[in-house]
Amino acid sequence: MKKRTFQIIKIIIALAAYGYIAWKIYDYHFYTHEFISNYRFNSLKTFLLATVFLLMPLNWLIEAIKWKKLVKSFTQISLKHSFKAVLAGISTGIFTPNRIGEFAGRPYFTDKSKIAAGVFAGFAASLAQSLVTVLMGLIALNLYFFSAEHTFFVEIETFWAIIIFSFLLAVTIFYLFFHLHLFVSLKKYFPFLEKYRQELTFLREYTNSDLLKVLIFSLLRYLVFFLQFFFLLYVFDVKISFDQAFIAIALVYLFLFAIPSFAISEMGIRGSLAVFFVGMYSTNYPGI
């Protein structure tokens, strides 16, 4: 019964996401026709599109460096080996909700006796990226609130609730990330972790300096995501300013982090969030 309910929820989310995109494009069919008729490729757009693709391996490389740093306390791997682990994690993550399968994919490129440690290291990497995503989203929410052109995309009470929730979420993730050793005590509540007691002790060895470096690499990776999105907006003639792009893109990533997604619905959710938030500044929905 639970499995069937889960499947129904996935289908509803997917239909809602894709339906919203279709409705916005249909509702602005004049712009759709104009976009298709007037769209022209030029040398700058070609360069930016090529840059977007070239940034993909850079994104994976940054994550590989981050992964290598996180596992160094219990296993030594080369950057090449770390890069393979990241790609493996991406592959397994595609087929799981919110890409949680990345935790399972990466550890198989470490010592087989350290798989449990690898799963927790993957969790630490995810926490770092989540913290950056929530912090950037929180900054974007405040910039939007104090901008001269803002019109609330939700009721004012709901908007404040989102800000407060985002702040509390950021504080919680920040605390957990810089106190990873607390997860060692989880074995008290989950007996099956007891047999991995020795493997989990590495969590106590992370220094604040180590974790800060991981956070900086997560910020660099976020910058790559942002630039890819920003360049693609220009390629598809979505004319908005840099500050508008920062607010819209950061909000897309924030809500994408908060909304459960699956392989079948993720593209739709990404698209619908982009149409909603970038659409606050542009009516070029086909381009978005």
Side-chain angles (χ1 to χ4, degrees):
M1 185 64 183
K2 285 185 178 180
K3 187 175 181 181
R4 185 171 181 178
T5 303
F6 192 59
Q7 293 294 337
I8 291 172
I9 291 172
K10 288 199 293 184
I11 292 171
I12 290 173
I13 292 174
L15 290 176
Y18 289 113
Y20 178 74
I21 296 172
W23 172 67
K24 293 300 286 187
I25 292 177
Y26 175 79
D27 199 39
Y28 284 78
H29 59 275
F30 171 76
Y31 293 101
T32 304
H33 181 267
E34 186 179 43
F35 173 78
I36 294 171
S37 302
N38 298 332
Y39 186 79
R40 297 290 182 274
F41 229 64
N42 57 38
S43 57
L44 178 57
K45 289 179 180 178
T46 302
F47 172 76
L48 290 177
L49 188 58
T51 302
V52 167
F53 280 98
L54 290 173
L55 284 173
M56 289 171 67
L58 176 60
N59 165 28
W60 301 330
L61 178 62
I62 293 171
E63 186 63 17
I65 296 171
K66 190 168 81 174
W67 176 248
K68 188 173 183 293
K69 284 186 173 295
L70 283 168
V71 302
K72 71 177 182 179
S73 59
F74 61 87
T75 186
Q76 294 296 321
I77 58 174
S78 66
L79 186 59
K80 180 181 178 181
H81 209 71
S82 181
F83 196 88
K84 288 181 180 180
V86 168
L87 293 182
I90 291 171
S91 300
T92 55
I94 289 173
F95 304 104
T96 54
N98 285 47
R99 300 182 180 274
I100 60 174
E102 288 196 26
F103 297 162
R106 292 187 190 182
Y108 280 95
F109 278 80
T110 61
D111 186 333
K112 293 296 182 289
S113 64
K114 302 291 184 181
I115 289 180
V119 170
F120 274 85
F123 179 69
S126 180
L127 267 183
Q129 203 64 54
S130 298
L131 179 57
V132 171
T133 299
V134 174
L135 285 175
M136 291 296 133
L138 192 58
I139 292 170
L141 280 168
N142 282 277
L143 288 176
Y144 177 79
F145 179 78
F146 290 108
S147 64
E149 56 189 3
H150 82 262
T151 53
F152 288 109
F153 52 83
V154 292
E155 294 293 328
I156 182 66
E157 294 83 3
T158 306
F159 186 84
W160 275 110
I162 293 172
I163 287 184
I164 293 170
F165 175 77
S166 299
F167 175 76
L168 292 175
L169 186 60
V171 170
T172 302
I173 296 174
F174 182 87
Y175 182 81
L176 289 175
F177 180 67
F178 281 97
H179 294 81
L180 289 173
H181 62 276
L182 293 176
F183 289 99
V184 179
S185 61
L186 283 177
K187 62 181 183 293
K188 297 177 184 177
Y189 309 100
F190 300 97
F192 73 92
L193 288 176
E194 185 63 34
K195 64 180 178 180
Y196 302 117
R197 184 178 62 230
Q198 289 300 114
E199 292 185 50
L200 299 184
T201 54
F202 81 95
L203 292 171
R204 301 180 187 277
E205 297 177 24
Y206 289 133
T207 65
N208 286 341
S209 176
D210 291 331
L211 295 174
L212 185 59
K213 288 175 184 176
V214 170
L215 207 57
I216 290 172
F217 281 115
S218 297
L219 182 61
L220 288 174
R221 193 177 180 213
Y222 187 93
L223 179 61
V224 172
F225 289 150
F226 172 81
L227 289 176
Q228 286 176 305
F229 205 141
F230 183 63
F231 290 161
L232 284 172
L233 287 176
Y234 184 89
V235 168
F236 290 99
D237 290 333
V238 181
K239 302 297 196 302
I240 61 175
S241 64
F242 185 84
D243 57 320
Q244 290 173 337
F246 174 79
I247 292 172
I249 294 171
L251 290 180
V252 168
Y253 289 150
L254 174 64
F255 280 80
L256 186 62
F257 166 74
I259 297 173
S261 62
F262 314 90
I264 190 175
S265 62
E266 184 170 347
M267 188 168 68
I269 292 173
R270 283 178 180 269
S272 57
L273 287 174
V275 165
F276 186 84
F277 289 114
V278 182
M280 296 189 301
Y281 304 109
S282 172
T283 54
N284 182 8
Y285 297 115
I288 298 170

